[in-house]
Amino acid sequence: MPNRPMTLTVAAAIMGLEGVTALILGGYVGVETVIGKPADLISSIFVAGFGILVGAVLLRVAWGMIQVDRWTRSPGVLTQIFALPVGVTLIQSDQQAIGIPLIAIAVIGLVALLSPPTTQALYGDQG
């Protein structure tokens, strides 16, 4: 296995945290769909399934980062870019306690993924 820099380990930890969070939220919606009375059953099932799927994919990307797989940087960067407007929307919706940490984590993830040590580890002299 190639040498993994600390920046890639940080990025993997962030992706893993985001993946576990998505799994938990998707699972929560799924449980609430089963035990509750959702206003729109189909939408609730879709949201639960989507959250679980996204969580599983993010965990796979995190595992790929641990393995120093070069393909993982693009989905990692894309995830962090998508997290930024979500965080801003949360702040604008008076959810600062969730929005501010989400933005901070996304920025740390972007810095870690775009840093020279990560580029060197994933792409070598090609980066």
Side-chain angles (χ1 to χ4, degrees):
M1 178 186 337
N3 189 21
R4 183 178 61 248
M6 180 59 76
T7 54
L8 194 53
T9 303
V10 167
I14 288 171
M15 292 300 295
L17 175 66
E18 291 167 343
V20 168
T21 302
L23 276 175
I24 290 170
L25 292 173
Y28 174 77
V29 171
V31 168
E32 287 297 311
T33 298
V34 170
I35 65 172
K37 294 185 176 158
D40 185 352
L41 179 62
I42 300 299
S43 292
S44 294
I45 292 169
F46 176 78
V47 169
F50 186 72
I52 291 168
L53 177 66
V54 167
V57 168
L58 293 179
L59 288 173
R60 174 60 183 101
V61 172
W63 178 251
M65 288 178 184
I66 295 294
Q67 301 299 311
V68 193
D69 291 339
R70 68 187 308 182
W71 64 267
T72 59
R73 183 152 95 168
S74 293
V77 168
L78 201 58
T79 299
Q80 305 320 308
I81 288 171
F82 284 146
L84 292 172
V86 171
V88 170
T89 301
L90 286 166
I91 291 170
Q92 291 172 341
S93 300
D94 212 20
Q95 300 282 331
Q96 291 87 354
I98 300 169
I100 292 170
L102 179 59
I103 290 172
I105 287 169
V107 169
I108 293 167
L110 280 171
V111 169
L113 285 166
L114 299 174
S115 70
T118 297
T119 301
Q120 180 63 32
L122 294 176
Y123 301 106
D125 293 331
Q126 299 171 11

